Amino acid sequence: MPEKNRPLEQMLELSDDEALSAEHLDSQVQKAQEQLLQLKRQQEQIEKQKRELEELSRRQEELERGRAEMSDKLTRALVVLEREGYNAQNRAEQIRAARESFAQHLELIEAIDPRSWNPADLHKELSRALSTVDDARSDYTEQHSRLQAAGGTAGEAPLPDPAMNPYENGDGRSFAEWLQIGVALSLPLMIFGAVALAIFIWMASR
């Protein structure tokens, strides 16, 4: 009997070994799958970090290019604006000086009144008036040249050309010349009026 039972025991022992071997294999397969899954997760994490580093590098390069570009543009713009500011300040000063000068000359010219002149001082008054007009013309030409040299802004109304005289007619006579002619023509009337006034006063006093 003991000999008959030995093959059965051997079979039972073999079955146990086979069972242990299958469990071990399943365990190894499961462990391998877990390792593969872990490696896959690590790979995904590494790829994610790689993309983040590439994006970070791209943005850093973009920052450096942007800094260099704007630094160059702003530096050149400041130089241009500084020059433009100086030119604008210089032009504003010239405009202020021209306005003051033109206002003074205009006041002197508008104060010329040939009707108030003394006939005895006619030549003197006429010379003084012509000198006032000539001074205004000379200063106007000088200020006009300075403003033209300083340059103007877009849309700015230009000053009248000093070479153009709207008071000249076809024979080329200027306002000052016509003023002189007018005074000369009115001189006899002024003398006649003065004589008549003197006679009237003399007769009234008798």
Side-chain angles (χ1 to χ4, degrees):
M1 290 297 294
E3 292 180 358
K4 292 181 179 180
N5 292 333
R6 183 174 298 173
L8 180 60
E9 292 176 355
Q10 291 178 353
M11 291 178 62
L12 291 174
E13 290 177 0
L14 182 60
S15 297
D16 291 339
D17 291 340
E18 290 177 353
L20 290 174
S21 178
E23 290 178 359
H24 180 70
L25 183 59
D26 291 340
S27 175
Q28 293 296 323
V29 170
Q30 184 177 0
K31 185 181 295 184
Q33 289 177 346
E34 291 177 355
Q35 290 177 351
L36 287 174
L37 182 60
Q38 184 177 2
L39 290 174
K40 185 177 180 180
R41 290 175 179 173
Q42 290 178 353
Q43 182 180 3
E44 292 176 352
Q45 184 68 23
I46 292 173
E47 290 179 353
K48 180 180 178 182
Q49 292 177 354
K50 179 183 177 182
R51 289 193 299 269
E52 291 177 352
L53 290 175
E54 289 176 348
E55 176 66 14
L56 182 62
S57 177
R58 185 191 66 79
R59 295 182 66 184
Q60 287 179 339
E61 291 178 357
E62 181 181 357
L63 172 62
E64 292 301 322
R65 288 195 303 269
R67 285 181 58 192
E69 175 191 0
M70 293 311 302
S71 177
D72 178 66
K73 288 183 178 180
L74 291 173
T75 300
R76 289 188 295 169
L78 285 174
V79 173
V80 173
L81 291 176
E82 184 176 357
R83 183 171 61 249
E84 291 295 329
Y86 172 78
N87 293 337
Q89 183 178 2
N90 186 33
R91 179 169 174 78
E93 179 62 25
Q94 291 180 348
I95 290 175
R96 184 194 62 79
R99 287 182 59 188
E100 292 180 356
S101 176
F102 292 171
Q104 292 175 358
H105 286 299
L106 180 61
E107 183 178 358
L108 292 175
I109 288 177
E110 290 181 342
I112 297 175
D113 184 10
R115 294 172 299 180
S116 64
W117 293 349
N118 188 344
D121 297 331
L122 181 60
H123 290 286
K124 180 180 179 181
E125 294 290 347
L126 182 59
S127 297
R128 183 182 301 172
L130 290 173
S131 177
T132 299
V133 174
D134 289 338
D135 289 344
R137 181 182 294 107
S138 298
D139 192 43
Y140 179 85
T141 302
E142 181 180 356
Q143 295 291 349
H144 184 276
S145 299
R146 289 181 179 178
L147 292 174
Q148 288 293 106
T153 57
E156 188 177 82
L159 295 176
D161 190 345
M164 297 178 60
N165 188 352
Y167 294 98
E168 286 185 352
N169 62 358
D171 59 4
R173 296 186 185 276
S174 65
F175 171 75
E177 292 172 337
W178 278 113
L179 177 63
Q180 186 174 5
I181 292 173
V183 172
L185 292 176
S186 61
L187 180 60
L189 294 177
M190 296 173 66
I191 295 175
F192 176 77
V195 172
L197 179 62
I199 294 174
F200 176 78
I201 294 174
W202 178 75
M203 292 181 64
S205 62
R206 293 185 63 182

